[in-house]
Amino acid sequence: MKILTGNDLKTGAVVWWDGQGWSIHITDAADAGDDAENIIAVESAARRVNAAYAIDAEQTEDGPRPAHIKDRVRALGPTVRPDLAVPAVKTVGWDWVI
């Protein structure tokens, strides 16, 4: 599974492609599949997202889980301040990161 991530141009927030737009919740992330590079090109040109890129992920019962730890940390928020984690993923648990 390939999912897309980047940063919202207005807020700087980490965002995930949900199939129609961008969401701050990784649980909304949709499989971009072979269209990943085309979606990135269109969304970057429209200036809706900055530095978008495709990542490998696996589908779990809690939603997509990025394959690389860097992107799992991006999905949850600061590891030193769990109280600042993205609200929708607080149910996932910190063992999800590692």
Side-chain angles (χ1 to χ4, degrees), residues 6-98:
N7 293 88
D8 182 81
L9 278 173
K10 292 180 182 176
T11 65
V14 173
V15 290
W16 306 90
W17 178 252
D18 66 11
Q20 297 181 27
W22 297 91
S23 172
I24 63 167
H25 306 295
I26 191 161
T27 52
D28 296 335
D31 186 2
D34 294 334
D35 293 330
E37 295 305 318
N38 291 334
I39 295 167
I40 289 170
V42 168
E43 292 297 306
S44 295
R47 298 197 176 266
R48 286 186 277 268
V49 67
N50 183 47
Y53 59 98
I55 62 170
D56 291 323
E58 64 178 305
Q59 185 64 42
T60 70
E61 62 185 43
D62 294 322
R65 181 179 188 257
H68 195 277
I69 191 169
K70 174 191 140 215
D71 297 302
R72 292 194 298 263
V73 170
R74 282 174 48 85
L76 290 178
T79 57
V80 295
R81 292 282 310 270
D83 59 310
L84 298 177
V86 178
V89 296
K90 285 185 179 178
T91 60
V92 171
W94 288 101
D95 60 338
W96 185 79
V97 173
I98 299 189

